[in-house]
Amino acid sequence: IIGPALGGVFFNYFGIQFILVVAAFSFLFSAFVEVFMKIPELKVEKDSSLFHIIKQDTNNCFDYFKRKKILLKIAMMVALFNLFFESMLIIGLPQIILNYLNLNSTYYGLVQSAQSFGALLGGFVLTLFINRFKMNRSYILFASTVIILLPIPLILYLGVASVPSAIIICICCFCFMISSTIFSIMMISFI
């Protein structure tokens, strides 16, 4: 949760070179630690080629989805949901905050932290109130994720000042992540 906010602050004050040096040292440290890890080798019997195994597994998957059409529909819905919203969060938000609102990377780091905290809280809420979330009402969660994001284009259209816009975006992303985490966990668990 704190990582993205600190990353935004460090990028804003120290620049990309500092972040690249820290990332390089982190990589070297993790590589050093991996040298001492003991990972047992798994013996896998190969009775056919890798291509044949992949083809057979893929065919088995499609055969299974033909018998369980509801799972195919849910899997496609979750995939499209994640594809659309992940691209919006990864590509759209930085563009809005950095280029459209002309704010620095600290604000974007705060928005990412709000998303992380929202995802964490979403999992926690689902755990606490598991009996209140039913699959037959999952469409409400799906609709709520879209509705939660509606203030973002509205404030951009109305030309709200940059900092209040960033605060609204932060709140929307926090609430969106709560709802989308609950929705994603429910759907993937059902599959």
Side-chain angles (χ1 to χ4, degrees):
I1 294 171
I2 296 170
L6 286 177
V9 170
F10 288 156
F11 179 76
N12 193 41
Y13 288 107
F14 301 113
I16 191 71
Q17 291 83 8
F18 174 78
I19 291 175
L20 289 175
V21 168
V22 171
F25 279 114
S26 298
F27 174 77
L28 289 173
F29 179 72
S30 65
F32 178 74
V33 169
E34 280 188 31
V35 169
F36 299 104
M37 293 173 69
K38 302 275 191 239
I39 301 173
E41 255 187 70
L42 296 175
K43 305 279 188 214
V44 178
E45 293 184 22
K46 293 183 179 180
D47 54 347
S48 58
S49 70
L50 179 64
F51 178 75
H52 180 71
I53 293 170
I54 292 172
K55 181 181 172 188
Q56 184 178 3
D57 286 349
T58 304
N59 288 337
N60 290 342
C61 180
F62 283 119
D63 288 341
Y64 184 78
F65 277 137
K66 284 179 188 175
R67 288 177 281 147
K68 307 275 187 178
K69 292 189 188 234
I70 186 70
L71 290 181
L72 179 61
K73 290 176 184 176
I74 290 173
M76 289 176 62
M77 183 174 69
V78 170
L80 288 173
F81 176 81
N82 286 329
L83 180 70
F84 174 75
F85 288 116
E86 284 294 320
S87 61
M88 183 210 58
L89 295 175
I90 293 171
I91 298 168
L93 281 181
Q95 291 300 315
I96 290 170
I97 292 170
L98 300 173
N99 296 333
Y100 186 79
L101 297 176
N102 294 318
L103 295 172
N104 61 36
S105 57
T106 302
Y107 287 94
Y108 180 61
L110 291 172
V111 170
Q112 282 189 316
S113 292
Q115 291 172 355
S116 299
F117 186 61
L120 185 68
L121 189 60
F124 185 69
V125 167
L126 181 61
T127 303
L128 286 179
F129 304 106
I130 189 77
N131 294 330
R132 294 191 182 184
F133 295 102
K134 306 289 184 199
M135 280 302 296
N136 60 352
R137 292 187 299 202
S138 61
Y139 66 91
I140 296 170
L141 278 171
F142 183 77
S144 72
T145 57
V146 176
I147 293 168
I148 288 168
L149 293 176
L150 286 179
I152 295 174
L154 184 64
I155 61 169
L156 296 176
Y157 177 75
L158 295 175
V160 177
S162 294
V163 174
S165 292
I167 292 169
I168 293 169
I169 290 170
C170 197
I171 293 168
C172 289
C173 287
F174 172 74
C175 296
F176 167 78
M177 287 306 292
I178 291 172
S179 182
S180 69
T181 299
I182 293 170
F183 176 76
S184 294
I185 291 172
M186 285 177 61
M187 293 296 114
I188 292 169
S189 298
F190 180 76
I191 290 172

